[in-house]
Amino acid sequence: MNEDGTMARLRDLITVAEKHGLKICAIKDLIQYRMRTERLVRRGAETRLPSSFGGDFRLIVYESEVNELHHVALVKGKVAPDEPILVRVHAACLTGDVFGSVRCNCGSLLERAMRTVEEAGNGVILYMREKDRSVGMLDKIKQHALRDQAYCTVEANLELGLKPDLRDYGIGAQMLADLGVRKMRLMTNNPTRIVGLEGYGLKVVEQVPIALEPHCTNLRC
């Protein structure tokens, strides 16, 4: 507690720790530690998914031990730990994936990734319900409104006080490890977002861009 009786926040606790020579860690540090040392996902169900985007996939639903969210792995072909495999980690986007919004290219990226895996004959696509950048539906619609005022996506996020989109794969990394993935040909157009993979025994051996024709609505994004 602070001297005035209010709850001490991290900044207050750091001051106390420095004064008394104490060690301190944040809740986010504990979460990162658990991600690396504990199994926080489990397979919940599996079925065959015949898709118009890329033929047949194995669809595996993963249940998280830390919240009620379910995530999906789409797997095609053989996953061999010693062989690089195409991987796409896709953050769920309701407006783009479901409603076909062209303000973002999320839906097109997902479809192109599935077709690329089909062409390669094997690969893994993770569909993650939880975005590490914490853009929920409310913030996403506010973001779209700012886009109407000529903001690009990055500028809109900064205006809303959202953190940069640097993704620690976390739960997704545990899903990949469970599937036997070790070496990845990572399908991404944003290589600067890749952080924290080494701690999960994963290695990116190649970054594979996803080529899309830009829409006039999102040329600046």
Side-chain angles (χ1 to χ4, degrees), residues 162-201:
L162 301 174
K163 63 184 180 180
D165 186 11
L166 294 175
R167 302 177 188 174
D168 184 329
Y169 279 61
I171 293 293
Q174 291 200 357
M175 292 166 61
L176 290 171
D178 179 71
L179 292 168
V181 175
R182 298 296 179 270
K183 298 178 181 179
M184 300 186 295
R185 299 176 59 223
L186 190 63
M187 291 185 283
T188 179
N189 291 335
N190 299 281
T192 57
R193 294 177 179 173
I194 304 168
V195 294
L197 290 178
E198 295 80 4
Y200 303 98

Side-chain angles (χ1 to χ4, degrees), residues 36-155:
R36 287 165 170 77
T37 60
E38 299 179 32
R39 184 180 178 85
L40 301 179
V41 291
R42 63 179 182 272
R43 296 192 188 199
E46 180 175 341
T47 188
R48 181 178 69 91
L49 175 71
S51 170
S52 59
F53 293 160
D56 284 3
F57 288 86
R58 288 168 55 210
L59 187 154
I60 304 170
V61 176
Y62 280 87
E63 300 176 275
S64 171
E65 299 281 3
V66 295
N67 52 42
E68 297 180 352
L69 292 175
H70 294 164
H71 310 286
V72 171
L74 299 178
V75 183
K76 181 182 291 290
K78 180 181 179 182
V79 179
D82 296 331
E83 298 179 7
I85 188 171
L86 280 170
V87 171
R88 167 72 180 167
V89 179
H90 187 89
C93 172
L94 178 66
T95 52
D97 299 339
V98 177
F99 301 134
S101 170
V102 294
R103 288 183 180 275
C104 64
N105 56 12
C106 298
S108 299
L109 285 170
L110 179 59
E111 178 180 345
R112 181 65 256 179
M114 293 175 70
R115 295 189 187 280
T116 300
V117 168
E118 166 69 6
E119 293 164 4
N122 67 340
V124 175
I125 296 175
L126 301 188
Y127 192 79
M128 307 301 297
R129 293 282 309 285
E130 185 175 28
K131 291 190 174 183
D132 291 322
R133 61 180 181 269
S134 300
V135 179
M137 177 52 62
L138 182 61
D139 282 332
K140 190 169 187 66
I141 299 307
K142 289 180 179 179
Q143 180 194 86
H144 287 346
L146 289 172
R147 294 273 300 281
D148 287 335
Q149 302 174 35
Y151 285 76
C152 76
T153 302
V154 174
E155 293 167 344

